[in-house]
Amino acid sequence: MSTQMEVLRPVPLPYGKDSGHTILHGLIAEALEALELRERTIGVCSVGATFLMYDFFNVDFASAPPGRAVSVATGLKRAQAQAAVFVYQGDGDGLGAGLGDLVHAVARNEKLTVFIVNNGVLELSGGHLSPTTPLGQRTVGTPEGRDA
């Protein structure tokens, strides 16, 4: 049986210890360990804070163009049906550029797992409005706060 230390590589994470990314990395590692999936897992990451996922996890990884991680994961899962395939995206990538890909994968009942970290901003662009930015929140592009 693998251990969490085997799933997560012993490298420092660039996020704060209470960051959603840090917490989610630990939860994904625990799940892969508990389900004994590490050896047959393929992760897919895209842009922004998720771009360097392959540095942190000791599993196979593929990088995808912005918004296309779910489509890349779909192709990997169809080519490697026995693999446990997961996607790790931020809210801007997954729910902005990638929303159409996600909706169609759900409609087709693709057999993969998608994690979307909701930061409420597009981190890659320095903090611009994302699809999940709450009303009133100030961003680089909405200095007066997001309005309806």
Side-chain angles (χ1 to χ4, degrees):
M1 181 160 125
S2 64
T3 66
Q4 183 176 358
M5 290 308 295
E6 290 174 341
V7 175
L8 284 176
R9 292 189 171 144
V11 297
L13 297 175
Y15 326 108
K17 69 179 179 93
D18 295 327
S19 159
H21 291 289
T22 301
I23 294 166
L24 190 51
H25 285 166
L27 293 172
I28 292 170
E30 285 179 29
L32 293 177
E33 173 190 345
L35 299 171
E36 299 182 8
L37 293 175
R38 188 185 69 80
E39 294 295 325
R40 61 184 185 98
T41 295
I42 304 171
V44 180
C45 58
S46 188
V47 297
T50 71
F51 177 66
L52 298 174
M53 289 292 293
Y54 47 81
D55 283 344
F56 310 128
F57 282 84
N58 190 20
V59 300
D60 289 331
F61 254 95
S63 292
R68 302 299 165 248
V70 171
S71 291
V72 170
T74 297
L76 288 167
K77 181 63 177 181
R78 290 181 180 194
Q80 299 285 329
Q82 79 290 352
V85 179
F86 77 92
V87 173
Y88 191 96
Q89 295 178 287
D91 52 330
D93 185 56
L95 300 176
L99 182 60
D101 294 45
L102 178 62
V103 167
H104 289 286
V106 170
R108 292 189 310 267
N109 198 26
E110 298 293 348
K111 306 300 183 210
L112 40 101
T113 302
V114 179
F115 297 99
I116 297 178
V117 179
N118 182 7
N119 298 311
V121 296
L122 297 175
E123 289 186 359
L124 183 63
S125 68
H128 287 86
L129 185 79
S130 87
T132 61
T133 303
L135 294 177
Q137 181 173 326
R138 295 174 187 220
T139 70
V140 171
T142 57
E144 300 298 318
R146 180 178 190 167
D147 64 19

